[in-house]
Amino acid sequence: MIRGSAVPRTGPLVTIDPDAYVHASAQIYGKVSLAAGVSVWPNAVIRAEMHEVVIGEGSNIQDFAMIHIGGATGTIVGRNCSITHRVTLHGCTLGDNVLVGIGATIMDGCVIGENSIIAGGSFLKENTVIPPNSVVAGVPAVLKASRDSGPANRFNAWLYTQNAEAYARGEHRSWDEADLDAAAARFGFTRRA
């Protein structure tokens, strides 16, 4: 894995676990903590000039995501979360096993319950509270369904941990369909119907 001291674009208050992966193009400044198994992908930006940003074990921050603190709140991401491409997290808290879809924005003071999905393109206005096991979508986002997405979300996060290990070895294609189906079964669900 790439260790914090080997990453050229970080500040002195950034704490990166030795088992985290940070792509060299990511930019991380302020009081930021990345736990074991975290992966931060190309061109992601994480900043915490006050308060702090904490990314929990096994979570992934995908390409072009932007994570910042709010005026009165830090940003906390639980364990095994997937913050997908072009997501903006701003001063919010996410429980464990949350998947935030492509291009979603979660604003200051929002709290997202564990095992939830925030659909791509959603906008969660300030201080929105989403209960555990929710699926939300829209602008502004509203509850669309209630279900435990924890197994699928943990599987997605696990895939990114595996991808990070492969990327650290210089391997950029490491999956085939049979591998993915077998791995999904270990997490308790079927990828394809």
Side-chain angles (χ1 to χ4, degrees), residues 29-112:
Y29 300 104
K31 187 175 182 185
V32 176
S33 176
L34 306 180
V38 166
S39 57
V40 182
W41 293 89
N43 300 301
V45 175
I46 305 172
R47 293 192 298 117
E49 296 82 4
M50 60 180 185
H51 311 302
E52 66 180 323
V53 172
V54 176
I55 310 297
E57 183 177 349
S59 290
N60 57 85
I61 312 302
Q62 297 178 20
D63 316 58
F64 295 99
M66 194 286 294
I67 299 176
H68 197 215
I69 47 90
T73 54
T75 298
I76 309 298
V77 175
R79 295 174 29 218
N80 303 311
C81 293
S82 292
I83 311 307
T84 66
H85 316 291
R86 294 186 297 102
V87 163
T88 298
L89 300 182
H90 201 272
C92 55
T93 299
L94 279 61
D96 295 341
N97 313 315
V98 170
L99 185 141
V100 182
I102 293 171
T105 298
I106 304 177
M107 291 300 296
D108 301 36
C110 289
V111 177
I112 311 303

Side-chain angles (χ1 to χ4, degrees), residues 93-169:
T93 299
L94 279 61
D96 295 341
N97 313 315
V98 170
L99 185 141
V100 182
I102 293 171
T105 298
I106 304 177
M107 291 300 296
D108 301 36
C110 289
V111 177
I112 311 303
E114 64 185 10
N115 306 321
S116 292
I117 293 176
I118 308 302
S122 296
F123 180 86
L124 279 74
K125 62 185 181 178
E126 289 83 355
N127 303 310
T128 300
V129 176
I130 302 299
N133 304 312
S134 294
V135 177
V136 299
V139 179
V142 296
L143 181 66
K144 297 292 187 177
S146 295
R147 71 168 183 254
D148 181 358
S149 298
N153 292 352
R154 282 191 301 278
F155 172 66
N156 190 78
W158 177 81
L159 283 176
Y160 270 85
T161 299
Q162 300 304 302
N163 286 343
E165 291 176 7
Y167 268 66
R169 295 188 304 267

